[in-house]
Amino acid sequence: MAEITAKMVGELREMTGLGMMDCKKALVEANGDLKAAEEALRIKSGNKASKVAGRTAAEGTVAAFVKGGVGALAEINCETDFVGKDAGFLAFAAAAAEAIVTGNPADVEALGNVKTASGETVEELRKAIIAKLGENINVRRFTRIETEGQLATYLHGSKIGVVVDLVGGSEVLGKDIAMHIAACKPKSLDASGVDAELIETERRVAIERAKEAGKPEAMLEKIAEGTVQKFLKEVTLLSQPFVKDDKQSIEQLLKANGASIKSFTMYVVGEGIEKKVVDFAAEVAAAAKV
């Protein structure tokens, strides 16, 4: 049996990014063969990724990357807020966002095969960080924009990210609008982009409330239309009052600066993901009965 030294363990940790005990065990099983131990750990890393794949990942970060006229915004998820702040996890998120710009993948699955700046694919990096941190980690969604204008991005901490495709205006204007979007969370650029079902829901609720308030039947449609218009003003970017100066709308701000917006994307980490609520007291009680 070959002697397993601290130096050997350290080298294997440097090569794989895995924990000390995992590296020592792999070296023991490989009888001190560093290359064989590394290969075994890489296989194990893939297995570990498969084991955690079904676990809910609703925490994480939004990463942005812009190069020239091309930009990307991506949401990368993990299971806990603690891992969401880990330097290795954040480095993976940044590498994935850059790979979206450089590799132009068609979807999240295709992104896995794109090589990153380090030479490894996004999927290889994902499996490595899963093996190191022990949580389910995945790229949930991304958007890639090619523009003839300019791209403005804004990250509010790590939980909200915005990218704006701006025509005309200035870098400062783009940043201001991106910050406004993060603060006011519009659903679309204008009324044409609002889901018809949402509008119908607002109309229906307005009518029922008016009925309960005893309003005349002849007034119901007019009341509903007023409610819908108020709703659209609140949720469409161009109609919203500018967060830094509520005396003008975003549309007026753009016009004053000779600018327009082609599109925008906003991601909020975990939005729409149903988080599992764990009753730790019940789990402990159940374990005690075993």
Side-chain angles (χ1 to χ4, degrees):
M1 176 66 70
E3 181 185 0
I4 308 302
T5 66
K7 182 180 178 182
M8 293 166 66
V9 174
E11 286 181 16
L12 190 55
R13 285 190 70 188
E14 187 68 27
M15 291 165 67
T16 64
L18 298 179
M20 181 180 69
M21 295 308 296
D22 284 337
C23 291
K24 184 176 180 181
K25 183 179 178 182
L27 283 165
V28 169
E29 292 174 351
N31 198 28
D33 187 324
L34 200 61
K35 288 187 177 179
E38 180 191 11
E39 184 175 334
L41 284 176
R42 288 193 171 181
I43 293 170
K44 180 181 176 182
S45 296
N47 291 339
K48 194 166 187 178
S50 298
K51 288 177 183 177
V52 303
R55 302 201 312 233
T56 301
E59 298 294 339
T61 191
V62 178
F65 184 82
V66 175
K67 184 176 182 180
V70 185
L73 193 71
E75 179 185 352
I76 297 87
N77 295 136
C78 56
E79 295 178 48
T80 65
D81 188 53
F82 178 77
V83 164
K85 296 174 182 175
D86 179 83
F89 171 79
L90 295 174
F92 166 69
E98 182 176 356
I100 292 163
V101 168
T102 58
N104 192 19
D107 51 31
V108 169
E109 185 178 355
L111 173 61
N113 297 319
V114 176
K115 283 196 174 184
T116 64
S118 68
E120 297 173 285
T121 67
V122 171
E123 181 62 11
E124 286 170 342
L125 288 183
R126 188 183 76 89
K127 287 182 176 179
I129 199 66
I130 286 174
K132 183 177 181 182
L133 299 176
E135 288 196 4
N136 185 18
I137 293 168
N138 60 71
V139 180
R140 180 189 180 195
R141 53 184 174 170
F142 69 80
T143 186
R144 183 180 186 274
I145 300 175
E146 294 187 24
T147 182
E148 294 179 0
Q150 58 180 311
L151 295 174
T153 62
Y154 174 69
L155 300 176
H156 187 71
S158 62
K159 300 298 185 183
I160 301 174
V162 177
V163 59
V164 179
D165 186 356
L166 184 70
V167 178
S170 65
E171 185 177 340
V172 172
L173 177 66
K175 183 67 72 175
D176 278 348
I177 291 175
M179 290 176 68
H180 169 95
I181 292 168
C184 299
K185 300 178 178 58
K187 295 183 181 297
S188 68
L189 184 62
D190 54 32
S192 66
V194 180
D195 190 330
E197 188 176 335
L198 281 177
I199 295 175
E200 186 54 37
T201 298
E202 290 297 316
R203 186 182 301 279
R204 187 169 59 250
V205 170
I207 289 175
E208 291 305 316
R209 284 179 175 171
K211 285 180 179 179
E212 289 182 5
K215 300 295 183 182
E217 189 74 25
M219 291 182 61
L220 296 182
E221 282 301 324
K222 186 176 181 180
I223 291 171
E225 184 59 27
T227 300
V228 166
Q229 292 306 314
K230 182 175 182 292
F231 168 72
L232 291 174
K233 185 176 180 181
E234 291 171 351
V235 302
T236 54
L237 176 59
L238 295 181
S239 297
Q240 288 179 335
F242 180 35
V243 73
K244 285 188 172 183
D245 177 11
D246 60 10
K247 290 182 175 59
Q248 64 176 333
S249 66
I250 293 295
E251 186 170 27
Q252 291 168 333
L253 174 67
L254 289 166
K255 188 175 181 180
N257 286 273
S260 62
I261 295 173
K262 287 186 69 175
S263 67
F264 75 88
T265 299
M266 178 183 69
Y267 288 156
V268 179
V269 170
E271 185 177 41
I273 299 176
E274 185 176 347
K275 297 184 183 182
K276 182 180 178 181
V277 178
V278 180
D279 187 339
F280 291 106
E283 285 193 356
V284 172
K289 294 177 182 178
V290 176

